[in-house]
């Protein structure tokens, strides 16, 4: 992942080149390999590069032949070779992103429809000083935009580059394009599922499998070492299995070897570590285990909130282990990983989907979840890895794969107790007796949320630690007055909010974070599926009681039914010494 910053139409007396460099430096963790800055009249485009494709010559910003069109891009264009072959242009680099400048030259603003990838970009046409900015369909790559008091328009990969100079800023919505000519935003991505109408296409397991394999293989486009984040659950295991199966036939496999690297993180003895090791052994990958301690996780919270730019409880819980793991991955010299985000949203994989009342509400909830991914799991996966200069690619959010999966009759996705567990249609699609992708018990392993799977003590310890930080009862009693927007409902949420406000005190910053009731990662609308949920609004998967087969075998082993006060002393005694293995 790279970092981009664009300042467009500023008042010349108010902005020096050194100031732009200072702001761009705030994004350098995303792109530590090179820095580029383009200046034209009262327009700046800055770029911090993470070199994945064409490390030698692909520095940005990038241009068309006569340099009248300039573009700064964060992301990957997987179909760049086919696009280049379809146009007659001279290319200055082998970068996948250079094609965007030439596409604009030939097709104008509509060219964004031709891109297959994950991307956020800002393009300046110096012929008339017009500009556009666009973001990929689901919002895999982050983008924010804001407005200066001098009338300037700003864009940045992270809001930390905007907070000091913009009067107001917002999250740039996925699947949208901003046009200076039109004077605003328009949605360019309009798939059939976006309207939430109920699809009826029959389930074809082979078509689903082929679409996913294609999505994984195209993401093996890289000129640097890479691997797969492997938790041992269905989603990451399928990514690893498909990547491992096809790696030898790809350019990346020929360049870096046919044996896949996999990575897992967890507390000692966590469910994910055990399951991931079993999958890695089965696939024959070079597997790396990283252990973190509860204390190390607690110590990282301030940095996590600064990098992820959120105070959402679920996101912070899951981001912390991923943040720590990404640092270890980068230390191994790896710059790109594949990850399994998106499957639970597409297929109703979260445990609360067991309570979906009918196929119509099941489907609408999956649509709502996909639409909000950019605020949660995409935000986490991108920023937790980018904090250390690692790029995360997500095959489940491939545009073609999403369109196919969301066209299937949702009755096929619904859970049927005793017959079908969550994500059954993906499990069935990869249940190949002749050439198994995974062992049966892994293929049909039940869902673990990442923050639970890294170790059940993690969440309990977070709650206990927060209780020690938010010690005065009137802090919670007056929370609605201190934080009227998205008022914290628990001491854990209150503590995260305090940390967030210290680094991002702006009103625009707090408004960028989603809120509302949730149970086991549900949207607010799905809380109504079970009357009891409104009394137990815990975003952890443990809140969906009665549907998990193995996670909570005894209250003695997992004291989540105790009060935070009861567990706090015992949990904080359990912080082991530092252990790292690979």
């Amino acid at each position: 992942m790279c970092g981009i910053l664009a300042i467009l139409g500023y008042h010349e007396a108010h902005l020096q080149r050194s100031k732009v460099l200072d702001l761009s430096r705030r994004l350098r963790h995303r792109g530590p390999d090179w820095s580029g800055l383009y200046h034209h009249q009262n327009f700046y485009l800055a770029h911090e590069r993470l070199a994945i494709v064409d490390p030698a010559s692909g520095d940005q910003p990038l241009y068309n032949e006569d340099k009248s069109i300039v573009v700064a891009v964060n992301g990957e264009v997987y179909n760049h070779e086919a696009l280049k072959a379809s146009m007659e242009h001279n290319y200055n680099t082998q970068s996948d992103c250079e094609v965007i400048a030439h596409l604009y030259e030939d097709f104008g603003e509509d060219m964004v429809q031709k891109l297959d990838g994950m991307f956020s970009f800002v393009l300046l046409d110096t012929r008339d000083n017009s500009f556009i900015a666009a973001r990929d369909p689901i919002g895999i790559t982050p983008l924010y935009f804001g407005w200066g008091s001098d009338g300037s328009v700003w864009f940045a990969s992270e809001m930390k580059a905007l907070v000091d100079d913009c009067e107001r800023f917002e999250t740039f919505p996925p699947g949208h394009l901003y046009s200076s000519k039109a004077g605003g935003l328009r949605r360019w991505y309009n798939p059939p599922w976006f309207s939430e109408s109920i699809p009826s296409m029959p389930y074809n397991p082979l078509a689903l499998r082929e679409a996913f394999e294609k999505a994984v293989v195209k993401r093996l486009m890289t000129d640097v070492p890479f691997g797969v984040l492997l938790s041992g659950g269905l989603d990451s295991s399928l990514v690893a299995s498909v990547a491992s199966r096809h790696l030898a036939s790809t350019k990346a496999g020929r360049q870096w070897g046919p044996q896949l690297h996999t990575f897992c993180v967890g507390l000692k003895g966590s469910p994910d570590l055990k399951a991931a090791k079993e999958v890695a052994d089965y696939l024959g990958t070079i597997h790396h285990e990283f252990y973190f301690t509860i204390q190390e996780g607690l110590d990282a919270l301030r940095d996590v909130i600064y990098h992820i730019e959120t105070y959402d409880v679920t996101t912070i819980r899951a981001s912390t282990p991923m943040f720590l793991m990404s640092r270890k991955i980068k230390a191994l010299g790896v710059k790109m990983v594949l990850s399994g985000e998106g499957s639970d949203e597409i297929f109703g994989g979260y445990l609360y989907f067991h309570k979906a009342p009918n196929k119509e509400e099941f489907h609408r909830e999956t649509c709502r979840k996909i639409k909000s991914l950019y605020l949660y799991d995409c935000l986490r996966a991108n920023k937790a890895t980018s904090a250390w200069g690692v790029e995360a690619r997500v095959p489940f959010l491939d545009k073609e794969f999403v369109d196919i999966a969301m066209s299937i009759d949702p009755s096929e996705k619904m859970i049927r107790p005793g017959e079908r567990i969550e994500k059954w249609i993906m499990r069935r699609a990869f249940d190949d007796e002749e050439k198994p992708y995974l062992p049966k018990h892994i293929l049909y392993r039940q869902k673990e949320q990442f923050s639970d799977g890294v170790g059940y003590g993690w969440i309990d310890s977070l709650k206990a630690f927060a209780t020690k930080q938010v010690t005065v009862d009137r802090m919670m009693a007056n929370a609605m007055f201190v934080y009227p927007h998205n008022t914290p409902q628990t001491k854990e949420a209150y503590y995260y909010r305090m940390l967030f406000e210290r680094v991002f005190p702006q009103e625009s910053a707090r408004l960028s974070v989603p809120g509302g009731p949730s149970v086991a990662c549900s949207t607010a609308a799905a809380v109504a599926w079970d009357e009891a949920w409104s009394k137990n609004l815990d975003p952890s998967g443990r809140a969906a009681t009665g549907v998990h087969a193995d996670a909570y075998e005894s209250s003695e082993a997992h004291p989540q039914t105790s009060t935070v006060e009861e567990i706090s002393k015992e949990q904080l005694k359990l912080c082991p010494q530092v252990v790292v293995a690979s």
Side-chain angles (χ1 to χ4, degrees):
M1 278 300 138
C2 303
I4 61 174
L5 171 65
I7 307 169
L8 307 164
Y10 68 90
H11 191 282
E12 290 190 36
H14 294 163
L15 194 65
Q16 300 298 321
R17 186 181 183 93
S18 59
K19 171 69 171 179
V20 181
L21 290 170
D22 286 341
L23 294 174
S24 184
R25 192 174 291 113
R26 298 183 185 182
L27 306 174
R28 190 158 296 165
H29 54 275
R30 299 183 59 85
D33 295 335
W34 197 252
S35 301
L37 180 60
Y38 174 82
H39 182 209
H40 167 75
Q41 298 179 10
N42 57 343
F43 300 89
Y44 275 110
L45 292 182
H47 190 269
E48 303 292 341
R49 188 186 185 204
L50 180 67
I52 303 292
V53 176
D54 185 22
S57 66
D59 296 337
Q60 296 194 37
L62 296 161
Y63 310 88
N64 66 337
E65 287 98 332
D66 64 7
K67 295 193 174 182
S68 62
I69 297 171
V70 191
V71 63
V73 188
N74 169 34
E76 306 291 345
V77 180
Y78 301 122
N79 64 334
H80 71 104
E81 291 184 350
L83 291 172
K84 288 177 180 178
S86 70
M87 299 182 293
E88 294 184 3
H89 286 285
N90 296 316
Y91 292 87
N92 299 311
T93 74
Q94 296 300 312
S95 168
D96 56 298
C97 295
E98 186 184 346
V99 72
I100 293 175
H102 300 291
L103 281 171
Y104 180 82
E105 194 172 16
D106 287 4
F107 301 100
E109 295 179 0
D110 291 337
M111 63 89 182
V112 69
Q113 298 279 358
K114 298 180 178 295
L115 298 175
D116 179 10
M118 56 176 186
F119 53 83
S120 297
F121 69 82
V122 179
L123 182 148
L124 174 65
D125 187 344
T126 64
R127 296 172 298 186
D128 59 4
N129 286 344
S130 63
F131 59 87
I132 63 171
R135 192 176 182 189
D136 65 63
I138 308 298
I140 301 168
T141 61
L143 188 64
Y144 298 83
F145 66 136
W147 299 266
S149 59
D150 61 353
S152 56
V153 182
W154 298 52
F155 299 90
S157 296
E158 296 182 5
M159 66 182 179
K160 56 179 62 69
L162 304 180
V163 291
D164 293 340
D165 297 276
C166 289
E167 295 297 310
R168 188 169 69 87
F169 55 88
E170 300 176 1
T171 303
F172 194 99
H176 279 71
L177 180 140
Y178 180 96
S179 168
S180 64
K181 291 180 179 178
L185 287 166
R186 66 175 173 86
R187 168 168 282 282
W188 66 266
Y189 178 61
N190 293 286
W193 62 264
F194 202 84
S195 67
E196 300 183 12
S197 58
I198 311 304
S200 58
M201 187 176 77
Y203 168 50
N204 183 333
L206 185 58
L208 191 63
R209 182 203 294 182
E210 290 176 348
F212 184 68
E213 290 194 294
K214 182 179 177 182
V216 172
V217 171
K218 75 172 66 168
R219 281 158 181 80
L220 298 178
M221 178 187 79
T222 177
D223 294 322
V224 299
F226 66 98
V228 173
L229 304 185
L230 177 61
S231 70
L234 176 70
D235 308 331
S236 64
S237 297
L238 285 178
V239 173
S241 178
V242 173
S244 183
R245 182 170 293 204
H246 292 279
L247 180 57
S249 63
T250 67
K251 176 186 173 183
R254 293 188 293 273
Q255 186 172 1
W256 300 106
Q259 195 171 11
L260 187 70
H261 286 258
T262 51
F263 310 96
C264 186
V265 68
L267 300 175
K268 269 285 192 176
S270 71
D272 282 359
L273 288 174
K274 179 181 178 182
K277 180 66 164 59
E278 186 175 3
V279 174
D281 288 345
Y282 179 81
L283 298 176
T285 70
I286 302 172
H287 189 58
H288 308 265
E289 285 187 354
F290 303 121
Y291 308 149
F292 77 101
T293 69
I294 290 172
Q295 189 60 58
E296 287 173 320
L298 297 176
D299 291 343
L301 286 174
R302 292 173 186 268
D303 289 339
V304 168
I305 289 171
Y306 173 75
H307 280 287
I308 310 302
E309 300 182 324
T310 190
Y311 51 80
D312 175 68
V313 170
T314 310
T315 305
I316 293 168
R317 287 175 175 180
S319 293
T320 305
M322 196 170 195
F323 175 85
L324 296 171
M325 174 173 56
S326 297
R327 189 175 190 180
K328 290 292 182 182
I329 290 172
K330 187 59 180 286
L332 295 176
V334 172
K335 296 171 68 174
M336 187 274 281
V337 293
L338 271 60
S339 192
E341 279 75 19
S343 173
D344 291 317
E345 287 74 16
I346 296 168
F347 297 106
Y350 292 108
L351 297 179
Y352 74 90
F353 274 94
H354 283 248
K355 299 292 184 74
N358 51 59
K359 76 172 188 178
E360 291 79 13
E361 191 54 33
F362 187 104
H363 179 72
R364 294 188 188 103
E365 177 70 359
T366 61
C367 294
R368 292 189 291 262
K369 290 293 291 181
I370 297 172
K371 290 177 185 179
S372 64
L373 263 171
Y374 74 105
L375 298 168
Y376 297 100
D377 284 19
C378 286
L379 186 85
R380 166 183 56 78
N382 182 279
K383 292 183 179 179
T385 53
S386 292
W388 302 106
V390 176
E391 176 175 286
R393 299 179 180 178
V394 282
F396 280 104
L397 297 181
D398 179 81
K399 184 166 63 171
E400 181 181 349
F401 178 76
V402 172
D403 288 347
I404 290 174
M406 292 302 291
S407 298
I408 298 171
D409 189 324
S411 65
E412 298 285 0
K413 299 181 180 180
M414 290 190 70
I415 294 98
R416 303 174 190 175
E419 183 181 349
R420 294 185 179 184
I421 63 172
E422 63 276 354
K423 294 183 286 195
W424 181 86
I425 64 172
M426 272 301 283
R427 302 176 196 272
R428 177 67 186 85
F430 284 89
D431 194 350
D432 189 323
E433 296 288 349
E434 294 185 4
K435 295 182 178 180
Y437 286 80
L438 294 167
K440 289 275 191 181
H441 63 284
I442 293 292
L443 191 61
Y444 291 94
R445 181 193 180 202
Q446 195 167 29
K447 167 72 179 169
E448 291 275 11
Q449 286 178 202
F450 184 53
S451 52
D452 287 325
V454 298
Y456 296 116
W458 172 234
I459 290 177
D460 291 330
S461 298
L462 283 172
K463 292 180 178 181
F465 180 75
T467 298
K468 290 196 170 186
Q469 312 307 309
V470 185
T471 56
V472 182
D473 288 341
R474 64 176 174 271
M475 293 172 75
M476 291 302 300
N478 292 329
M480 69 181 71
F481 304 109
V482 179
Y483 303 120
H485 176 74
N486 284 345
T487 302
Q489 300 299 311
T490 65
K491 290 187 175 182
E492 183 187 7
Y494 195 102
Y495 178 60
Y496 298 156
R497 186 64 172 271
M498 288 195 302
L499 296 181
F500 179 87
E501 296 273 348
R502 288 173 189 171
V503 289
F504 302 113
Q506 299 82 6
E507 179 70 8
S508 291
R510 65 181 65 100
L511 292 176
S512 73
V513 180
S518 175
V519 61
C521 287
S522 75
T523 67
V527 172
W529 290 355
D530 190 319
E531 185 178 352
W533 285 351
S534 62
K535 302 173 184 177
N536 183 32
L537 295 175
D538 186 342
S540 167
R542 65 182 59 185
T545 56
V547 299
H548 200 291
D550 303 312
Y552 314 113
E553 295 177 355
S554 69
S555 58
E556 181 179 355
H558 309 300
Q560 67 275 7
T561 55
S562 304
T563 66
V564 171
E565 290 74 12
E566 287 172 337
I567 67 172
S568 60
K569 292 182 180 179
E570 293 305 313
Q571 289 291 350
L572 291 178
K573 288 179 182 177
L574 297 178
C575 299
Q577 298 301 310
V578 178
V579 182
V580 178
S582 65

